[in-house]
């Protein structure tokens, strides 16, 4: 069965300062449990803010390292979910359910892409 990476994109500048509510975390926990029992969810996690990140760039035969935050980025990857689904449509349906557990004031985008095997 194919695997899909759902990259959770957020705008760090407009995310709630207090982070996810307890109610959101409860709904998220229930969905994660359901997805795990269904054998769809292989791994998931949130990521630290870009202020804690580092970018390593390769160009012209040289590497450069830039410390965060990365203010030029409107959206950043705030987390991910690795899914195993029968097809892309199923992966997208699970991703839609993930987005729908958020309160209306959140702005979250997920990019779903198939993992290349072998």
């Amino acid at each position: 069965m194919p695997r899909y990476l759902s990259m959770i994109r957020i705008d760090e500048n407009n995310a709630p300062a207090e982070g996810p509510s307890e109610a959101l975390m409860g709904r998220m926990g229930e969905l994660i449990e359901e997805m795990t029992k269904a054998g769809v969810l292989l791994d998931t996690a949130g990521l630290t803010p870009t202020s804690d990140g580092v970018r390593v760039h390769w160009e012209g035969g040289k590497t450069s390292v830039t410390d965060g935050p990365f203010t030029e980025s409107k959206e950043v990857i705030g987390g991910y979910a690795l899914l195993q689904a029968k097809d892309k449509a199923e992966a997208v349906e699970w991703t839609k359910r993930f987005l729908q557990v958020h309160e209306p004031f959140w702005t979250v985008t997920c990019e779903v892409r198939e993992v290349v095997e072998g």
Side-chain angles (χ1 to χ4, degrees):
M1 228 180 339
R3 295 181 302 156
Y4 297 87
L5 181 64
S6 180
M7 293 170 279
I8 303 157
R9 296 182 179 274
I10 62 168
D11 180 346
E12 282 186 320
N13 298 320
N14 292 323
E18 66 279 1
S21 67
E22 285 187 37
L24 170 57
M25 294 308 293
R27 291 188 302 274
M28 187 84 60
E30 290 172 8
L31 180 60
I32 286 171
E33 183 177 340
E34 180 182 350
M35 292 173 74
T36 301
K37 285 181 180 177
V40 174
L41 184 64
L42 302 177
D43 191 25
T44 189
L47 300 175
T48 60
T50 61
S51 58
D52 295 336
V54 174
R55 285 189 179 159
V56 182
H57 182 75
W58 171 260
E59 183 175 2
K62 296 181 182 177
T63 57
S64 62
V65 177
T66 306
D67 292 328
F70 311 116
T71 55
E72 70 279 3
S73 300
K74 173 128 175 78
E75 288 184 330
V76 298
I77 298 174
Y80 70 92
L82 184 60
L83 311 174
Q84 184 169 290
K86 64 182 179 199
D87 54 28
K88 189 188 308 184
E90 182 185 19
V92 168
E93 285 304 313
W94 283 109
T95 300
K96 286 163 77 175
R97 289 192 55 199
F98 164 77
L99 290 174
Q100 292 166 352
V101 301
H102 290 76
E103 291 93 354
F105 57 83
W106 281 87
T107 300
V108 185
T109 301
C110 288
E111 180 179 338
V112 178
R113 294 172 53 190
E114 187 171 349
V115 175
V116 176
E117 301 293 339

